[in-house]
Amino acid sequence: MAWALGGLGLAAVSLPLGAQDTAPPPAATAEEPAPDAVPTRFADLNLGVQEPPPALIGAAQFAAGSQFRSFDMSPDGARLAIARKAGKRQDVIFIDTATRETNGGLNVPEDKSLDWVRWAGNDKLILSISFPTMFYGVSVRASRLLVHDLAKNVTFPLKVGRDVIWGGDVVHVAEDGSHALIAVQDNLMQTPSVYRYDLVPEGAVEKVVRPRDGVWEWYADEAGTVRLGLGWVNRRLKVYYRKDGAADFALVGKIKAGDDKARYWSVVRIVEGSDRGYVLEEGENGRVGVRLFDYATGEPVETYWEHPQWDVEELWLKRDGTPLAATYTDDRDRIHWFDAQRGRTHASLQKALEMEDVSIVTRSRGDERMLVWGGSEADPGALYLFDPAGKKLDLLSNYRPDLDFRLLAKPQPVRYRARDGLMISAYLTLPRGRTPKGLPLIIMPHGGPFGIRDKLAYDDWVQFLANRGYAVLQPNFRGSGGYGDDFFAAGEGQVGRGMQDDLDDAMDWATGEGIADPARICVIGGSYGGYAALWAVLRNPERYRCAASWAGVTDWDKMLAYDRRFLTGKAGKSWQARIRGDEAFDLDAVSPYRLAAQLKRPVLLAHGTADDNVPFSQYTLFVKATRAAAVRPQTLEIEGEGHGFSKPENEQQWYEALDAFLAKHNPADPLPQAVSAPGATVVEPASPPPPVP
C-alpha cells in the first residue's frame, strides 16, 4: 500500500491555450416564462428553411468531449486557472485576463487525474488529484489535495493519514490564501474532522472540529467559523449547529427518511453573526423552494422564494449572504434574479452573444472580470472573458473547437398525451436537409429512471444520430424529475409497464403526425434507457425495427439483489417497492433476460466490463439467454470501461458500432452503405433479421 505523493511530478510549463476540448458548464438563461403552449402538433413546429444535408461529423469528434475540466478565477481577477485533459496529457494553465496570454502552468502525470482547481488568495491554487491504488487487496481510487504557490513556484500536498482514501473537502479558504479548512477523515473508520491547514510547505495542521456520528458535510460562515454539520444516521438526517466558535455543537434537527420534507434539504450558507441562513427545502406543496431558516431552533422562518411550477435547483448568494439568484429548469435552465443590476448584465450578455444559454462560469471577488460560457442545445458553445466596467467581451476559446456547430441540428420541445391522459413532455430533433415527413426515428429514453430528465441542452448522442439523418425523440416519461410529485409518483411501480407505454405513445404521436415512418423506428438508450430499448423490441417487436442498449438492465430481480448490497435495509425495500410496485408483481414479466429467447429483432448490446452500477453480469446473462433466439444480438464489450465513458476512444467504439448497426438494420437513406467500425470488438448476429412488417 503506497500513499506517498513525492513522485507526483508537477512541473512548470508554458503552454498556448490551443484547442480546448465533458459537457459544457452548467448554464442558465435569463428568466422567461415557460411557453403557454408547447407544440403538440407537427404543424406547429418551427422547422426553419430547407437546406442540403450537412456533412457527416466523425465519431471521434463527438467522442472527444471537451478538454476543459475545471475553471477558477483569482479573487483579484488577474488570473484564470484552467484544468485541461487532452488524451493522456493533463495540465493546468494560467491565463492573464488582461492580455489573454498564457502565463505558465503545471503538468500532471499520466497516472494521476486532475479533478478540479480552486484559488486560495491570488497566488496559490488548490488542486484535487485522484489516482488508482490498492487498499487491503482491493483496487480503489484515492484522492489528495495539493497546493501550488505561484509566487514561490512550489507544489506541496496537504498531508492526511496513510490509510485515508478520500483526500478531503474544502470547507473554507482564507481571503488572503494563508490557510484553509479541510474536512478529512482521520482514518477509514471515522467520519471527517475539520482541520486548519497553513498553506505553506510543512505548514501547521490543527484539528478545529472533531468528528460527529454520520456527519460528512461541514459548513463554515464567511469568517471561517465552522457552524453546521449534516449527516444521515439510521435513515435520519441529523443537523448539528453552533452559534459561534466558542459554543458546542448541538443537535437541532432530525428528519426521518420517510418524512415528506426529506426528499430535498440542502444548506446554502450560514450568515456570519446570525443564526439564520438559507436552505433549499421541499414545502408542503411538494415543491423545492428557498427558505429562510433558523438553525438555532431547527425551524424554517419563511419562504423567501418559490417558483409556482418548478423546483429551485440552486441559490446563489452575494458576499453579504443575501440572495443573488435562484435557478430552475422548465424546458431549459433558467435564472430568477433577485439583483436587478445583475439581471440586466446577464440579459445584455445574452443579447450580445445571441445564444439561448449563458452562464458566468467563474468571476473575481469584486466582479472586475468574469469567464462567460454561451451555447445552446445545438451548440457546445464558447468561452469569453468579460470586463463589465469596460463592457468588453473577448472570445477566449470555443468549447469544442474540433466539432463544427454549424452542422448540428436544433432540438425542439413537444408534448403528447399518454394513453391514460397524462401529458408527457419530450424533445424532438429533426435531421437537417431532409423533408420532415416519414423519417427514420430514434426514440431515446433517458437513464434513471426516477428523478432524471432530459432538457434542452447539448447532447452528443442526439447530435450524432441527427447528423446521420435520424429524427430523435426524447420522452420524459412518467417518474422523470422536474415535473412535480404527482408526475414522479405516477412512475412508481411502472418500470416496464406505464413507463414503457409512454415510449410506445411517443411513437404513436410521431407516426400519427407523419414525422416518422412506422416501419423505421428504433429505440436506443443507456442504463435504464438501455433496458427500455431491449424491452421495447421484446415486448412489442411488431412496433420496432431494432434496439441498441448501452449498460442496460436485463434482469430486475438480480439487479435489485445487487443494489441491496449498497443500501440500508429500509432503503433497499423502498427502492424495490419503487421498481416492483405491487409486492405480488413478478419482475420476470418485465425483465429482458427472461424473454431473450424470443428475440426477433436486431439488437446492439454493449457494456463496459468494469461497470459497478449495472454489473457486466447483466450483459452476459442476456447474451447467454439469446442462444436459442431467432436473432442473436450484435455485441460490443469494452474492456475496463465503467457505467459511463471515461475515455474518448471507448465512446468512439460505441458510436462506430452504433453507426454500423443502424446503417445495416435501419438505414437513414433508401440505399444503405457499409460503415466500418475500426477498433470496436463487434460480434455480428448469426442469423439475419426477419423483415419488418
Side-chain angles (χ1 to χ4, degrees):
M1 185 170 62
W3 296 98
L5 296 179
L8 190 63
L10 293 175
V13 294
S14 179
L15 298 170
L17 185 58
Q20 312 300 332
D21 245 354
T22 49
T29 64
E31 184 182 21
E32 300 174 9
D36 293 331
V38 174
T40 58
R41 298 297 307 276
F42 178 57
D44 298 329
L45 292 173
N46 178 19
L47 300 179
V49 179
Q50 290 300 303
E51 57 186 346
L56 284 184
I57 301 173
Q61 291 167 277
F62 285 110
S66 173
Q67 292 182 10
F68 293 125
R69 289 296 179 266
S70 180
F71 310 88
D72 200 28
M73 189 170 288
S74 61
D76 63 4
R79 292 190 183 102
L80 175 66
I82 301 177
R84 308 182 304 178
K85 181 177 181 180
K88 294 182 178 180
R89 191 194 80 215
Q90 299 178 88
D91 57 47
V92 180
I93 58 173
F94 302 108
I95 304 296
D96 186 313
T97 59
T99 65
R100 294 192 296 147
E101 294 181 356
T102 305
N103 185 14
L106 302 168
N107 278 333
V108 180
E110 293 180 10
D111 61 339
K112 307 292 190 300
S113 291
L114 176 59
D115 301 319
W116 51 261
V117 295
R118 174 175 173 174
W119 286 97
N122 296 314
D123 296 309
K124 296 173 185 172
L125 194 72
I126 301 176
L127 305 88
S128 177
I129 304 290
S130 59
F131 51 93
T133 189
M134 298 297 293
F135 187 78
Y136 293 115
V138 178
S139 178
V140 297
R141 192 157 195 89
S143 66
R144 293 293 183 268
L145 299 180
L146 300 96
V147 176
H148 178 69
D149 189 320
L150 281 75
K152 299 178 181 178
N153 195 26
V154 295
T155 304
F156 52 91
L158 297 181
K159 295 181 179 179
V160 298
R162 292 180 60 85
D163 63 342
V164 171
I165 295 174
W166 176 58
D169 179 41
V170 178
V171 177
H172 174 79
V173 176
E175 197 167 323
D176 63 0
S178 60
H179 66 274
L181 301 181
I182 310 292
V184 65
Q185 295 168 279
D186 296 321
N187 57 63
L188 281 177
M189 305 307 294
Q190 288 186 312
T191 53
S193 303
V194 180
Y195 287 88
R196 183 188 188 278
Y197 285 82
D198 284 345
L199 299 183
V200 294
E202 304 297 329
V205 181
E206 177 190 2
K207 182 185 289 190
V208 295
V209 175
R210 63 179 180 81
R212 293 276 174 170
D213 185 28
V215 173
W216 284 90
E217 297 179 66
W218 289 102
Y219 295 84
D221 60 23
E222 191 69 16
T225 301
V226 181
R227 303 266 303 280
L228 187 77
L230 296 179
W232 287 91
V233 180
N234 297 325
R235 298 285 290 163
R236 290 176 181 265
L237 176 64
K238 289 189 175 183
V239 182
Y240 292 93
Y241 175 76
R242 65 178 177 177
K243 185 178 183 66
D244 52 42
D248 293 329
F249 283 96
L251 183 63
V252 297
K254 286 185 185 179
I255 302 174
K256 292 183 180 178
D259 290 351
D260 290 340
K261 73 178 196 176
R263 181 172 72 92
Y264 199 97
W265 201 91
S266 175
V267 172
V268 178
R269 187 188 291 178
I270 305 167
V271 179
E272 181 186 357
S274 168
D275 287 324
R276 295 183 174 186
Y278 295 93
V279 301
L280 301 183
E281 182 184 35
E282 183 177 358
E284 294 181 0
N285 58 5
R287 210 165 289 117
V288 176
V290 180
R291 323 287 177 197
L292 182 61
F293 198 83
D294 190 316
Y295 295 106
T297 64
E299 296 293 335
V301 177
E302 62 182 15
T303 295
Y304 184 84
W305 186 77
E306 185 179 87
H307 194 281
Q309 289 179 277
W310 313 102
D311 286 347
V312 175
E313 296 166 349
E314 291 184 69
L315 175 65
W316 304 341
L317 299 180
K318 302 178 185 178
R319 284 197 65 194
D320 63 4
T322 59
L324 174 66
T327 70
Y328 63 94
T329 301
D330 45 34
D331 278 320
R332 65 169 71 252
D333 291 335
R334 306 282 187 188
I335 301 177
H336 176 86
W337 292 99
F338 304 115
D339 183 288
Q341 179 57 48
R342 180 61 66 81
R344 287 191 291 270
T345 298
H346 193 271
S348 68
L349 286 170
Q350 279 190 294
K351 184 177 180 180
L353 294 174
E354 298 182 342
M355 293 179 175
E356 288 88 343
D357 295 332
V358 171
S359 173
I360 297 173
V361 181
T362 182
R363 56 194 173 93
S364 62
R365 184 172 289 272
D367 288 349
E368 298 90 351
R369 295 279 194 280
M370 301 179 185
L371 178 67
V372 175
W373 172 84
S376 75
E377 57 272 25
D379 182 355
L383 293 162
Y384 302 83
L385 281 171
F386 178 47
D387 174 2
K391 297 182 179 180
K392 187 178 180 182
L393 191 65
D394 292 325
L395 175 66
L396 183 65
S397 174
N398 286 327
Y399 204 75
R400 301 270 294 272
D402 294 331
L403 184 62
D404 190 345
F405 69 92
R406 295 169 298 181
L407 305 177
L408 301 177
K410 191 173 184 62
Q412 299 186 61
V414 299
R415 297 210 304 168
Y416 63 92
R417 197 170 293 280
R419 63 192 66 184
D420 63 355
L422 189 65
M423 189 61 76
I424 306 294
S425 294
Y427 302 99
L428 175 67
T429 306
L430 295 171
R432 290 171 53 182
R434 295 174 186 262
T435 302
K437 290 286 185 179
L439 292 167
L441 175 69
I442 303 299
I443 295 177
M444 185 179 292
H446 61 69
F450 295 100
I452 309 299
R453 60 164 293 176
D454 284 316
K455 60 184 177 181
L456 289 176
Y458 177 79
D459 186 295
D460 279 311
W461 287 30
V462 170
Q463 294 296 338
F464 174 80
L465 293 164
N467 182 250
R468 275 138 181 80
Y470 298 93
V472 183
L473 186 59
Q474 302 167 271
N476 278 329
F477 47 83
R478 65 194 63 210
S480 298
Y483 297 98
D485 282 356
D486 290 344
F487 192 87
F488 182 92
E492 294 185 344
Q494 295 302 312
V495 165
R497 289 153 277 175
M499 287 181 173
Q500 202 75 21
D501 290 343
D502 292 345
L503 304 186
D504 291 346
D505 295 343
M507 171 195 172
D508 290 342
W509 176 84
T511 56
E513 292 296 324
I515 300 168
D517 179 349
R520 294 198 292 164
I521 299 179
C522 289
V523 186
I524 297 173
S527 193
Y528 177 84
Y531 156 77
L534 293 175
W535 189 232
V537 293
L538 287 165
R539 189 178 88 147
N540 297 113
E542 75 285 356
R543 280 179 168 267
Y544 300 106
R545 189 180 183 108
C546 58
S549 167
W550 167 260
V553 174
T554 65
D555 189 299
W556 281 109
D557 277 328
K558 286 182 170 59
M559 190 68 229
L560 289 175
Y562 177 82
D563 286 341
R564 279 197 294 272
R565 287 186 272 176
F566 307 97
L567 300 170
T568 64
K570 281 188 177 181
K573 290 179 181 179
S574 176
W575 176 236
Q576 179 168 268
R578 184 168 288 171
I579 297 294
R580 188 185 301 276
D582 185 348
E583 288 186 7
F585 183 78
D586 185 358
L587 285 173
D588 285 359
V590 292
S591 292
Y593 159 61
R594 302 296 181 179
L595 300 178
Q598 301 176 22
L599 186 63
K600 301 174 183 177
R601 293 294 176 210
V603 163
L604 171 61
L605 189 72
H607 217 111
T609 62
D611 192 339
D612 58 4
N613 192 318
V614 176
F616 187 63
S617 58
Q618 291 279 320
Y619 163 91
T620 57
L621 280 170
F622 189 84
V623 172
K624 291 177 182 177
T626 58
R627 288 173 178 170
V631 177
R632 299 288 302 280
Q634 178 178 321
T635 59
L636 171 63
E637 302 174 10
I638 301 184
E639 189 66 32
E641 188 54 275
H643 196 57
F645 292 104
S646 60
K647 298 179 180 179
E649 56 267 32
N650 291 343
E651 189 167 357
Q652 182 177 344
Q653 284 193 55
W654 161 249
Y655 288 140
E656 289 175 339
L658 184 60
D659 204 356
F661 174 81
L662 290 173
K664 180 175 182 179
H665 299 296
N666 192 30
D669 294 308
L671 295 175
Q673 297 179 354
V675 180
S676 62
T681 309
V682 176
V683 181
E684 291 287 349
S687 306
V692 174

